[in-house]
mmCIF file of all heavy atoms in Angstrom:
data_model
loop_
_atom_site.group_PDB
_atom_site.id
_atom_site.type_symbol
_atom_site.label_atom_id
_atom_site.label_comp_id
_atom_site.label_asym_id
_atom_site.label_seq_id
_atom_site.Cartn_x
_atom_site.Cartn_y
_atom_site.Cartn_z
ATOM 1 N N ASP A 1 -61.769 39.066 165.716
ATOM 2 C CA ASP A 1 -60.966 40.145 165.211
ATOM 3 C C ASP A 1 -61.394 41.406 166.084
ATOM 4 O O ASP A 1 -60.489 42.176 166.546
ATOM 5 C CB ASP A 1 -61.248 40.388 163.804
ATOM 6 C CG ASP A 1 -60.396 41.566 163.184
ATOM 7 O OD1 ASP A 1 -59.191 41.373 163.192
ATOM 8 O OD2 ASP A 1 -60.949 42.531 162.940
ATOM 9 N N GLY A 2 -62.714 41.624 166.235
ATOM 10 C CA GLY A 2 -63.165 42.781 167.082
ATOM 11 C C GLY A 2 -62.734 42.613 168.481
ATOM 12 O O GLY A 2 -62.335 43.629 169.146
ATOM 13 N N ILE A 3 -62.796 41.384 169.025
ATOM 14 C CA ILE A 3 -62.443 41.091 170.391
ATOM 15 C C ILE A 3 -61.047 41.453 170.675
ATOM 16 O O ILE A 3 -60.565 42.176 171.627
ATOM 17 C CB ILE A 3 -62.594 39.675 170.754
ATOM 18 C CG1 ILE A 3 -64.157 39.359 170.900
ATOM 19 C CG2 ILE A 3 -61.902 39.302 172.106
ATOM 20 C CD1 ILE A 3 -64.548 37.878 170.980
ATOM 21 N N LEU A 4 -60.077 41.048 169.764
ATOM 22 C CA LEU A 4 -58.675 41.239 169.999
ATOM 23 C C LEU A 4 -58.306 42.710 169.774
ATOM 24 O O LEU A 4 -57.460 43.273 170.464
ATOM 25 C CB LEU A 4 -57.906 40.404 168.888
ATOM 26 C CG LEU A 4 -57.873 38.895 169.264
ATOM 27 C CD1 LEU A 4 -57.181 38.119 168.147
ATOM 28 C CD2 LEU A 4 -57.224 38.580 170.576
ATOM 29 N N ASP A 5 -59.008 43.412 168.880
ATOM 30 C CA ASP A 5 -58.735 44.864 168.736
ATOM 31 C C ASP A 5 -59.187 45.547 170.058
ATOM 32 O O ASP A 5 -58.454 46.424 170.567
ATOM 33 C CB ASP A 5 -59.653 45.440 167.633
ATOM 34 C CG ASP A 5 -58.848 45.271 166.267
ATOM 35 O OD1 ASP A 5 -57.704 44.943 166.223
ATOM 36 O OD2 ASP A 5 -59.555 45.565 165.277
ATOM 37 N N LEU A 6 -60.239 45.119 170.653
ATOM 38 C CA LEU A 6 -60.638 45.753 171.981
ATOM 39 C C LEU A 6 -59.706 45.405 173.085
ATOM 40 O O LEU A 6 -59.397 46.185 173.931
ATOM 41 C CB LEU A 6 -62.116 45.260 172.301
ATOM 42 C CG LEU A 6 -63.288 45.827 171.497
ATOM 43 C CD1 LEU A 6 -64.540 44.956 171.690
ATOM 44 C CD2 LEU A 6 -63.589 47.232 171.986
ATOM 45 N N CYS A 7 -59.239 44.229 173.192
ATOM 46 C CA CYS A 7 -58.241 43.776 174.039
ATOM 47 C C CYS A 7 -56.947 44.651 173.974
ATOM 48 O O CYS A 7 -56.460 45.056 174.989
ATOM 49 C CB CYS A 7 -57.764 42.317 173.906
ATOM 50 S SG CYS A 7 -59.136 41.114 174.395
ATOM 51 N N LEU A 8 -56.531 44.891 172.768
ATOM 52 C CA LEU A 8 -55.269 45.764 172.461
ATOM 53 C C LEU A 8 -55.568 47.115 173.141
ATOM 54 O O LEU A 8 -54.817 47.749 173.815
ATOM 55 C CB LEU A 8 -54.983 45.782 171.060
ATOM 56 C CG LEU A 8 -54.233 44.677 170.421
ATOM 57 C CD1 LEU A 8 -54.261 44.762 168.929
ATOM 58 C CD2 LEU A 8 -52.877 44.584 170.980
ATOM 59 N N ASN A 9 -56.785 47.639 172.797
ATOM 60 C CA ASN A 9 -57.169 49.013 173.273
ATOM 61 C C ASN A 9 -57.242 49.102 174.722
ATOM 62 O O ASN A 9 -56.748 49.981 175.399
ATOM 63 C CB ASN A 9 -58.378 49.349 172.574
ATOM 64 C CG ASN A 9 -58.853 50.826 172.871
ATOM 65 O OD1 ASN A 9 -59.696 50.998 173.904
ATOM 66 N ND2 ASN A 9 -58.459 51.830 172.259
ATOM 67 N N VAL A 10 -57.905 48.158 175.382
ATOM 68 C CA VAL A 10 -58.152 48.124 176.762
ATOM 69 C C VAL A 10 -56.805 47.919 177.582
ATOM 70 O O VAL A 10 -56.479 48.820 178.497
ATOM 71 C CB VAL A 10 -59.050 47.049 177.238
ATOM 72 C CG1 VAL A 10 -59.142 46.878 178.744
ATOM 73 C CG2 VAL A 10 -60.513 47.429 176.725
ATOM 74 N N VAL A 11 -56.037 47.006 177.128
ATOM 75 C CA VAL A 11 -54.761 46.670 177.896
ATOM 76 C C VAL A 11 -53.764 47.822 177.784
ATOM 77 O O VAL A 11 -53.062 48.224 178.746
ATOM 78 C CB VAL A 11 -54.108 45.328 177.527
ATOM 79 C CG1 VAL A 11 -52.818 45.139 178.184
ATOM 80 C CG2 VAL A 11 -55.054 44.222 177.800
ATOM 81 N N ASP A 12 -53.678 48.443 176.559
ATOM 82 C CA ASP A 12 -52.817 49.575 176.187
ATOM 83 C C ASP A 12 -53.063 50.787 177.144
ATOM 84 O O ASP A 12 -52.168 51.469 177.594
ATOM 85 C CB ASP A 12 -52.802 49.830 174.850
ATOM 86 C CG ASP A 12 -51.864 51.007 174.450
ATOM 87 O OD1 ASP A 12 -50.664 50.876 174.849
ATOM 88 O OD2 ASP A 12 -52.178 51.911 173.787
ATOM 89 N N GLY A 13 -54.364 50.917 177.526
ATOM 90 C CA GLY A 13 -54.703 52.108 178.291
ATOM 91 C C GLY A 13 -55.267 51.845 179.679
ATOM 92 O O GLY A 13 -55.857 52.691 180.315
ATOM 93 N N LEU A 14 -54.964 50.593 180.259
ATOM 94 C CA LEU A 14 -55.476 50.368 181.585
ATOM 95 C C LEU A 14 -54.816 51.379 182.594
ATOM 96 O O LEU A 14 -53.630 51.626 182.605
ATOM 97 C CB LEU A 14 -55.015 48.902 181.998
ATOM 98 C CG LEU A 14 -55.905 47.709 181.586
ATOM 99 C CD1 LEU A 14 -55.418 46.408 182.102
ATOM 100 C CD2 LEU A 14 -57.333 47.979 182.191
ATOM 101 N N VAL A 15 -55.740 51.856 183.483
ATOM 102 C CA VAL A 15 -55.286 52.808 184.533
ATOM 103 C C VAL A 15 -55.371 51.999 185.860
ATOM 104 O O VAL A 15 -56.422 51.373 186.148
ATOM 105 C CB VAL A 15 -56.281 54.002 184.634
ATOM 106 C CG1 VAL A 15 -55.815 54.975 185.685
ATOM 107 C CG2 VAL A 15 -56.351 54.712 183.165
ATOM 108 N N VAL A 16 -54.366 52.108 186.658
ATOM 109 C CA VAL A 16 -54.187 51.405 187.922
ATOM 110 C C VAL A 16 -54.206 52.499 188.964
ATOM 111 O O VAL A 16 -53.393 53.398 189.098
ATOM 112 C CB VAL A 16 -52.986 50.562 188.064
ATOM 113 C CG1 VAL A 16 -52.717 50.001 189.424
ATOM 114 C CG2 VAL A 16 -52.962 49.556 186.955
ATOM 115 N N TYR A 17 -55.081 52.343 189.956
ATOM 116 C CA TYR A 17 -55.192 53.254 191.031
ATOM 117 C C TYR A 17 -54.587 52.666 192.294
ATOM 118 O O TYR A 17 -55.307 51.978 193.083
ATOM 119 C CB TYR A 17 -56.705 53.588 191.373
ATOM 120 C CG TYR A 17 -57.323 54.419 190.162
ATOM 121 C CD1 TYR A 17 -58.289 53.889 189.308
ATOM 122 C CD2 TYR A 17 -56.941 55.740 189.838
ATOM 123 C CE1 TYR A 17 -58.869 54.530 188.325
ATOM 124 C CE2 TYR A 17 -57.455 56.369 188.774
ATOM 125 C CZ TYR A 17 -58.428 55.821 188.012
ATOM 126 O OH TYR A 17 -58.931 56.524 186.866
ATOM 127 N N ASP A 18 -53.307 52.798 192.470
ATOM 128 C CA ASP A 18 -52.546 52.084 193.503
ATOM 129 C C ASP A 18 -52.968 52.508 194.909
ATOM 130 O O ASP A 18 -53.017 51.688 195.883
ATOM 131 C CB ASP A 18 -51.030 52.252 193.276
ATOM 132 C CG ASP A 18 -50.637 53.746 193.230
ATOM 133 O OD1 ASP A 18 -51.460 54.607 193.042
ATOM 134 O OD2 ASP A 18 -49.327 53.943 193.265
ATOM 135 N N GLN A 19 -53.453 53.750 195.133
ATOM 136 C CA GLN A 19 -53.837 54.192 196.444
ATOM 137 C C GLN A 19 -55.123 53.414 196.884
ATOM 138 O O GLN A 19 -55.231 53.066 198.057
ATOM 139 C CB GLN A 19 -54.162 55.705 196.382
ATOM 140 C CG GLN A 19 -52.853 56.605 196.168
ATOM 141 C CD GLN A 19 -51.848 56.318 197.238
ATOM 142 O OE1 GLN A 19 -52.061 56.297 198.400
ATOM 143 N NE2 GLN A 19 -50.485 56.255 196.757
ATOM 144 N N VAL A 20 -55.987 53.298 195.953
ATOM 145 C CA VAL A 20 -57.252 52.534 196.276
ATOM 146 C C VAL A 20 -56.918 51.022 196.515
ATOM 147 O O VAL A 20 -57.386 50.375 197.552
ATOM 148 C CB VAL A 20 -58.337 52.574 195.041
ATOM 149 C CG1 VAL A 20 -59.578 51.833 195.480
ATOM 150 C CG2 VAL A 20 -58.679 54.036 194.919
ATOM 151 N N ILE A 21 -56.077 50.515 195.718
ATOM 152 C CA ILE A 21 -55.581 49.105 195.880
ATOM 153 C C ILE A 21 -55.015 48.954 197.299
ATOM 154 O O ILE A 21 -55.385 48.010 198.016
ATOM 155 C CB ILE A 21 -54.602 48.698 194.793
ATOM 156 C CG1 ILE A 21 -55.289 48.558 193.473
ATOM 157 C CG2 ILE A 21 -53.831 47.380 195.198
ATOM 158 C CD1 ILE A 21 -54.448 48.517 192.287
ATOM 159 N N THR A 22 -54.096 49.930 197.705
ATOM 160 C CA THR A 22 -53.558 49.775 198.983
ATOM 161 C C THR A 22 -54.607 49.966 200.154
ATOM 162 O O THR A 22 -54.525 49.279 201.144
ATOM 163 C CB THR A 22 -52.412 50.883 199.139
ATOM 164 O OG1 THR A 22 -51.498 50.689 198.119
ATOM 165 C CG2 THR A 22 -51.747 50.823 200.496
ATOM 166 N N LYS A 23 -55.444 50.854 199.928
ATOM 167 C CA LYS A 23 -56.573 51.056 200.953
ATOM 168 C C LYS A 23 -57.365 49.779 201.236
ATOM 169 O O LYS A 23 -57.599 49.396 202.308
ATOM 170 C CB LYS A 23 -57.551 52.247 200.566
ATOM 171 C CG LYS A 23 -58.658 52.486 201.485
ATOM 172 C CD LYS A 23 -59.597 53.526 200.902
ATOM 173 C CE LYS A 23 -60.775 53.700 201.883
ATOM 174 N NZ LYS A 23 -61.733 54.679 201.343
ATOM 175 N N HIS A 24 -57.754 49.086 200.110
ATOM 176 C CA HIS A 24 -58.442 47.817 200.172
ATOM 177 C C HIS A 24 -57.634 46.793 200.846
ATOM 178 O O HIS A 24 -58.194 45.906 201.646
ATOM 179 C CB HIS A 24 -58.960 47.367 198.789
ATOM 180 C CG HIS A 24 -60.068 48.272 198.287
ATOM 181 N ND1 HIS A 24 -60.311 48.169 196.882
ATOM 182 C CD2 HIS A 24 -60.867 49.183 198.753
ATOM 183 C CE1 HIS A 24 -61.363 49.094 196.672
ATOM 184 N NE2 HIS A 24 -61.673 49.635 197.908
ATOM 185 N N MET A 25 -56.340 46.738 200.502
ATOM 186 C CA MET A 25 -55.376 45.846 201.007
ATOM 187 C C MET A 25 -55.336 45.986 202.555
ATOM 188 O O MET A 25 -55.459 45.052 203.367
ATOM 189 C CB MET A 25 -54.064 45.906 200.357
ATOM 190 C CG MET A 25 -52.905 45.176 201.046
ATOM 191 S SD MET A 25 -53.142 43.394 200.846
ATOM 192 C CE MET A 25 -52.524 43.278 199.143
ATOM 193 N N MET A 26 -55.153 47.200 203.003
ATOM 194 C CA MET A 26 -54.854 47.520 204.445
ATOM 195 C C MET A 26 -56.217 47.258 205.226
ATOM 196 O O MET A 26 -56.018 46.930 206.406
ATOM 197 C CB MET A 26 -54.358 48.962 204.707
ATOM 198 C CG MET A 26 -53.070 49.202 203.903
ATOM 199 S SD MET A 26 -51.791 47.960 204.197
ATOM 200 C CE MET A 26 -51.563 48.248 205.946
ATOM 201 N N ALA A 27 -57.343 47.333 204.649
ATOM 202 C CA ALA A 27 -58.546 46.970 205.309
ATOM 203 C C ALA A 27 -58.688 45.512 205.694
ATOM 204 O O ALA A 27 -59.306 45.158 206.670
ATOM 205 C CB ALA A 27 -59.768 47.424 204.576
ATOM 206 N N GLU A 28 -57.985 44.654 204.980
ATOM 207 C CA GLU A 28 -58.153 43.285 205.169
ATOM 208 C C GLU A 28 -56.759 42.609 205.681
ATOM 209 O O GLU A 28 -56.855 41.469 206.208
ATOM 210 C CB GLU A 28 -58.484 42.539 203.801
ATOM 211 C CG GLU A 28 -59.772 42.951 203.179
ATOM 212 C CD GLU A 28 -60.992 42.473 203.982
ATOM 213 O OE1 GLU A 28 -60.932 41.524 204.824
ATOM 214 O OE2 GLU A 28 -62.101 42.970 203.808
ATOM 215 N N LEU A 29 -55.741 43.326 205.557
ATOM 216 C CA LEU A 29 -54.381 42.679 205.852
ATOM 217 C C LEU A 29 -54.276 42.266 207.300
ATOM 218 O O LEU A 29 -53.679 41.185 207.482
ATOM 219 C CB LEU A 29 -53.299 43.777 205.466
ATOM 220 C CG LEU A 29 -51.771 43.097 205.473
ATOM 221 C CD1 LEU A 29 -51.848 42.021 204.500
ATOM 222 C CD2 LEU A 29 -50.803 44.194 205.153
ATOM 223 N N PRO A 30 -54.803 42.954 208.213
ATOM 224 C CA PRO A 30 -54.744 42.526 209.689
ATOM 225 C C PRO A 30 -55.161 41.090 209.888
ATOM 226 O O PRO A 30 -54.578 40.361 210.610
ATOM 227 C CB PRO A 30 -55.505 43.494 210.462
ATOM 228 C CG PRO A 30 -55.462 44.731 209.694
ATOM 229 C CD PRO A 30 -55.408 44.302 208.246
ATOM 230 N N PHE A 31 -56.291 40.691 209.156
ATOM 231 C CA PHE A 31 -56.795 39.369 209.282
ATOM 232 C C PHE A 31 -55.766 38.420 208.601
ATOM 233 O O PHE A 31 -55.545 37.283 209.197
ATOM 234 C CB PHE A 31 -58.075 39.163 208.484
ATOM 235 C CG PHE A 31 -59.208 39.980 209.101
ATOM 236 C CD1 PHE A 31 -59.951 40.910 208.376
ATOM 237 C CD2 PHE A 31 -59.562 39.803 210.506
ATOM 238 C CE1 PHE A 31 -61.035 41.611 208.924
ATOM 239 C CE2 PHE A 31 -60.567 40.513 210.997
ATOM 240 C CZ PHE A 31 -61.411 41.365 210.155
ATOM 241 N N MET A 32 -55.164 38.719 207.476
ATOM 242 C CA MET A 32 -54.266 37.899 206.758
ATOM 243 C C MET A 32 -52.904 37.801 207.525
ATOM 244 O O MET A 32 -52.123 36.814 207.259
ATOM 245 C CB MET A 32 -54.018 38.375 205.325
ATOM 246 C CG MET A 32 -55.357 38.402 204.606
ATOM 247 S SD MET A 32 -55.259 39.274 203.053
ATOM 248 C CE MET A 32 -57.021 39.347 202.593
#
């Protein structure tokens, strides 16, 4: 019960940093 309440709380408020994601992607993309 506590786990699922925490999952609800975490997923509802997840923050995505797309600029960092893109930076990491571009650092490896030439190889791929």
Side-chain angles (χ1 to χ4, degrees):
D1 184 67
I3 288 168
L4 290 173
D5 279 350
L6 286 163
C7 288
L8 281 170
N9 179 268
V10 168
V11 175
D12 183 48
L14 275 180
V15 180
V16 175
Y17 295 111
D18 54 347
Q19 296 297 318
V20 178
I21 290 171
T22 300
K23 179 183 177 182
H24 289 163
M25 169 71 76
M26 299 311 295
E28 300 290 342
L29 194 59
F31 294 125
M32 300 167 188

